[in-house]
Amino acid sequence: LGSILYNLFVSKEYKDQGLEGWRDDKEKFKIALVNDIKTFLFTKWEKPWVPGLIFDAKNNVISGFRNISGRNYNNQSNVISLAKNRGQSPYFITLSKLEQLGGKILDKKKVLSIISYIPIFKEKVKLGDATPVVKPDFMLPKFHSVINVDYVDGIKKPTYKTVEFEELELNEYVENFLSELKRRKRIPTLHHDEADRCYYISNPPAYTKDEIHLVEIKQFKGINEYYSTLFHEITHSTKNPKRLGRGKDNKKLDYANEELVAEMGAMIICEELGLEYKRQNSLSYLNGWLKKAKGTDIDSALIEAYAYACDAADYLLNDIELEKLVPKTLAKRAGEQENKEAPLLIARKEAMKLIGSKGIQELRGKWKIDWNNETSIREAIQTLIEAEAEAKNILSTLSGVQTQIL
């Protein structure tokens, strides 16, 4: 799908493809995607993270993001935008579905556009045909406006629960994933033999050498830093022609662009696994790349790198059932834990019940409540309660004065 993304937004061959209305949606999507990529690469990318896995009501682990019906968003090209606009919930809903259900948007800034593809076949497969068409002749892009369910009201939302890792469960979970990658021969050999650097090495054009070298795990500040570094180098390794071949047929990216691929590829993998990604390149390095890239088509270069990153993540995650990698001890706790609404959602419900849905916008304008922050909402609730009590006291006093006059 990364190659489709590249053809859609970078390749000149497909530049003017599509109907007029579709082209408008395409341009809006491109602008939003580029902005999200720039936010990830060139600003502080800080998101709240709970060290654990999310499970649905049936105790199935939720990887990545899903629509309100529970279907997983398998298209990796949407991950960076979904991650930026996520709430605590992994569920999103289309605006058309939200309107159909009679729901309301709490924060319009959280609306984003995602892309899906409809397979188009030139010829229909006839029954009994010995060679049915499996690969579509063309993938027709379709754009959808969606929002995380944390930022809407008035609909029934899917329940979920977060079960935190205990002791060495995080290590076990990720090591199970790495074992699957090794079993399927998708990654190079790993060597923890370096003093102060981590890197992937190969020897083109023969590519007989295929290795990742790392410092010892104990030298990292935390386990997330280690796995972020490892997935960064693993993403680099997918350029080997034995895998995806960014290094063949004179298509080798320069060092700076390849670093962008590794940054975003590792981030996508961590998002799918439910891990926190620790960016490997410094802001000064990445902003240096941006300055050097001036004079070129920066937006196209960023989308090209992101397309390669999506392909790398697709290649590594393909057909691996994360459900089977979850430590048994963590899965057991998930089965014992009740499905609870997130504290943020509970606070929102209490606030809306207190002021009524019609007063939300007015309240937001006067007090500037951060509806994504539980503390901010709780403070507003307390202020409302105190104001209500004060109003009752005033009314009671006025009532007493009126009685005395009479």
Side-chain angles (χ1 to χ4, degrees), residues 112-129:
L112 68 142
S113 179
I114 64 171
I115 189 171
S116 64
Y117 302 101
I118 303 172
I120 303 296
F121 300 90
K122 291 181 180 179
E123 297 180 4
K124 291 184 178 179
V125 180
K126 297 180 181 179
L127 293 175
D129 193 333

Side-chain angles (χ1 to χ4, degrees), residues 159-397:
T159 57
Y160 64 93
K161 53 194 171 187
T162 301
V163 184
E164 296 189 18
F165 291 114
E166 292 183 359
E167 297 180 349
L168 298 177
E169 287 176 340
L170 172 59
N171 305 63
E172 183 182 347
Y173 171 58
V174 183
E175 290 300 325
N176 287 342
F177 175 65
L178 292 171
S179 295
E180 276 297 303
L181 293 179
K182 292 175 184 177
R183 186 178 69 82
R184 296 166 189 252
K185 298 180 180 180
R186 293 181 185 173
I187 59 175
T189 55
L190 307 181
H191 305 270
H192 296 84
D193 57 357
E194 287 295 318
D196 57 2
R197 66 186 186 130
C198 302
Y199 58 90
Y200 166 67
I201 186 171
S202 60
N203 58 334
Y207 287 96
T208 53
K209 181 174 283 188
D210 185 38
E211 302 169 351
I212 289 176
H213 292 262
L214 303 149
V215 301
E216 292 287 342
I217 298 177
K218 62 184 179 182
Q219 290 186 228
F220 290 88
K221 292 181 180 178
I223 195 66
N224 283 295
E225 283 82 356
Y226 168 70
Y227 286 129
S228 294
T229 302
L230 179 56
F231 288 133
H232 181 98
E233 301 305 331
I234 285 177
T235 302
H236 275 312
S237 75
T238 61
K239 69 182 178 181
N240 191 312
K242 296 177 182 178
R243 298 184 183 93
L244 297 179
R246 289 192 301 280
K248 68 178 180 179
D249 299 330
N250 297 318
K251 291 181 180 179
K252 183 178 180 181
L253 297 179
D254 60 40
Y255 178 79
N257 284 27
E258 177 62 29
E259 280 301 303
L260 302 187
V261 175
E263 283 285 5
M264 293 187 284
M267 180 276 293
I268 293 172
I269 295 168
C270 285
E271 283 289 345
E272 291 293 331
L273 291 176
L275 305 177
E276 182 183 28
Y277 181 63
K278 298 291 186 181
R279 188 166 44 197
Q280 298 306 293
N281 286 298
S282 67
L283 281 177
S284 58
Y285 172 87
L286 292 168
N287 280 303
W289 175 92
L290 191 61
K291 290 178 182 177
K292 291 177 183 177
K294 285 184 177 179
T296 63
D297 186 348
I298 294 175
D299 290 355
S300 292
L302 291 174
I303 291 179
E304 179 185 35
Y306 186 55
Y308 280 130
C310 292
D311 281 342
D314 277 331
Y315 167 77
L316 293 166
L317 292 161
N318 185 42
D319 292 333
I320 294 181
E321 298 180 62
L322 300 181
E323 184 77 31
K324 296 181 179 179
L325 309 182
V326 178
K328 292 180 179 179
T329 50
L330 190 144
K332 182 180 178 182
R333 289 201 310 282
E336 296 170 348
Q337 183 174 314
E338 295 181 5
N339 293 296
K340 297 180 179 179
E341 289 187 291
L344 180 62
L345 297 182
I346 296 172
R348 281 181 182 158
K349 282 190 175 182
E350 289 181 18
M352 286 184 282
K353 184 178 179 181
L354 190 61
I355 66 176
S357 59
K358 291 182 180 179
I360 290 177
Q361 292 301 325
E362 183 181 353
L363 187 67
R364 185 202 301 272
K366 288 183 178 179
W367 290 349
K368 295 182 180 179
I369 295 176
D370 181 359
W371 288 94
N372 304 323
N373 186 302
E374 183 191 354
T375 302
S376 176
I377 298 172
R378 291 287 178 196
E379 289 175 353
I381 289 174
Q382 185 60 36
T383 303
L384 279 169
I385 292 173
E386 291 173 359
E388 187 179 47
E390 183 64 24
K392 286 181 179 179
N393 288 335
I394 293 172
L395 287 173
S396 177
T397 302

